[in-house]
Structures are given as C-alpha cells and as structure tokens.
Amino acid sequence: QVQLQESGPGLVKPSETLSLTCSLSGASISTGGYYWNWIRQRPGKGLEWIGYIYYSGDTYYNPSLESRVTISADPSKTQFSLDLTSVTAADTAVYFCVRGLFGPHYFDFWGQGTLVTVSS
Amino acid sequence: SSELTQDPAVSVALGQTVTIRCQGDSLSNYYPSWYQQKSGQAPVVILFGKNNRPPGVPDRFSGSSPGNSATLTITGAQAEDEADYYCSSRETDGDRFLFGGGTKLTVL
C-alpha cells in the first residue's frame, strides 16, 4: 500500500523559507508513470496545486508560485521536498504531498497534510 | 493561464439526484478528475478519466465531460456524501494542473 507522510516545521517566520519533506512507503519516485506533487489548502479555502517532480527530475510549478518554489527529490528516491521562499501570512496553509498518475490524470494517494503557519 | 469554475454551494434532499458542475477551457482537451473532501480530511479521488471510479467508490457517483465543462452526478445522495467536491484538470498547455474552487454539498 502506498503511503505518503509530510514532515517539517509547523511555524515559519515571515520572509523565511518554508521547507517540507514527503516520505514515501510502498513507492519510489524512480518508478515511471507517476508524478509527485505538493498541493496546499489555505484555511477555509480550496485546493491549490503547487508543483510536481517527475522521476526524470523534471519539475513543473504553478506560475503564481514559480519564482519562489523548488521541488526536489532525495537520491534515495523515497523522499521529495518542497522549498517555498520569502513566505508571508498568505502562505499559511495545510500542505499535502500527493502522487499523481498520467493518462488520464488524477491524484490517487494523498498524505494526511501538515499545517504550516507563517507568523512572527 | 486557464482556470476551472465551480458553483460554491449546492444542496440536495436525501435520496435525490444532484449535479455538480465544473467549467474551463482545459476540459475541451483533458478529462477531469473529481475529489471528495470531508471536514478535516485529505481529499479522496472519486472519478477520473471518461467516467472511471476507483475501487470502493459507490456507483451512485458518475461523471461526464462534454466540451469545456464537466459534471459530477450523485444519484440518490446519502448523508455521508455531504462534503466539498473539487474538479481538477491538466492545464491547456498540458504540463501543469488546475483545481476548481470547490463546491460545498449539503444533504438535507
């Protein structure tokens, strides 16, 4: 069974970098056909796709966040990470790591989510 | 960039049929996927592709995607179907993804 688990600080100061890690079990990033996403949900709001990394190492980001986002994969291929720089209160959200499939596209396995609050 | 539009809220009487709509240019090129999110939980995929349900999703959930719109239909809504529903699609350029703003379903 595929499982994803987010980890990282629950509190980040404004202007600093938010860094989260997603640990996989029952799956590996090196398996083709899947892409590994970060998706967030601000309090009381809808889902916002942040970006993904593919097994090839290719990355794609939401244009609205692209200048501040980096998604990378651990060499072990069982973890991938999110870095979001220069955060503000608007980045306060529950962050989910999620596996996606191509052809047709859908997000099949989700982590439980982790709340990150941006506050001084 | 493109976007997906959903009605913010819909209600349905217990046992009746309800349709949740999603509209966007990207749907002309790509099938949507639909997610159910209950309070405090991670979303769960309930439909993808032309009209595919993952194992365990009741067959009262069905979908269609004519043109630049998509619909999720719940035939015989149950109390446990009360949740937020999100559509998602690839963006028109194919490399990025979108979510609709979500529809809050109330079962009366």
Side-chain angles (χ1 to χ4, degrees):
Chain A
Q1 176 74 337
V2 175
Q3 292 184 318
L4 298 88
Q5 177 68 58
E6 306 88 352
S7 61
L11 181 64
V12 180
K13 290 182 168 55
S15 79
E16 295 189 345
T17 296
L18 180 160
S19 295
L20 296 174
T21 296
C22 181
S23 298
L24 314 181
S25 60
S28 169
I29 293 170
S30 58
T31 304
Y34 302 104
Y35 48 101
W36 304 90
N37 302 264
W38 288 97
I39 293 167
R40 72 180 183 179
Q41 187 170 35
R42 295 186 178 107
K45 302 298 183 183
L47 301 170
E48 181 179 25
W49 176 76
I50 298 171
Y52 73 79
I53 187 165
Y54 196 42
Y55 79 99
S56 61
D58 290 343
T59 53
Y60 294 91
Y61 302 126
N62 186 321
S64 68
L65 297 169
E66 189 160 14
S67 63
R68 299 193 293 128
V69 172
T70 302
I71 297 176
S72 59
D74 185 89
S76 71
K77 302 297 186 183
T78 59
Q79 290 186 330
F80 65 105
S81 299
L82 169 71
D83 287 320
L84 182 64
T85 62
S86 305
V87 296
T88 69
D91 295 308
T92 293
V94 174
Y95 287 77
F96 296 97
C97 58
V98 185
R99 189 178 82 166
L101 286 87
F102 286 115
H105 134 76
Y106 66 105
F107 303 110
D108 63 345
F109 286 100
W110 295 64
Q112 66 185 25
T114 186
L115 174 63
V116 180
T117 301
V118 178
S119 174
S120 55
Chain B
S1 63
S2 50
E3 61 180 17
L4 297 175
T5 302
Q6 296 182 241
D7 292 332
V10 170
S11 62
V12 62
L14 185 67
Q16 297 302 301
T17 297
V18 62
T19 296
I20 295 172
R21 294 179 173 80
C22 175
Q23 190 160 11
D25 290 341
S26 62
L27 297 175
S28 297
N29 299 314
Y30 299 106
Y31 286 118
S33 51
W34 289 93
Y35 303 85
Q36 177 190 69
Q37 185 180 33
K38 297 184 178 180
S39 181
Q41 298 181 18
V44 174
V45 60
I46 55 173
L47 285 175
F48 65 94
K50 192 171 184 180
N51 188 17
N52 300 304
R53 286 185 305 276
V57 175
D59 60 6
R60 63 178 179 272
F61 292 93
S62 62
S64 65
S65 52
N68 68 345
S69 67
T71 60
L72 166 67
T73 299
I74 307 174
T75 303
Q78 303 299 303
E80 61 263 32
D81 299 335
E82 189 162 284
D84 294 325
Y85 291 86
Y86 296 90
C87 61
S88 177
S89 166
R90 298 176 79 157
E91 269 206 18
T92 306
D93 69 7
D95 291 326
R96 294 171 174 81
F97 296 94
L98 298 166
F99 282 99
T103 298
K104 183 176 185 61
L105 175 66
T106 300
V107 179
L108 305 172

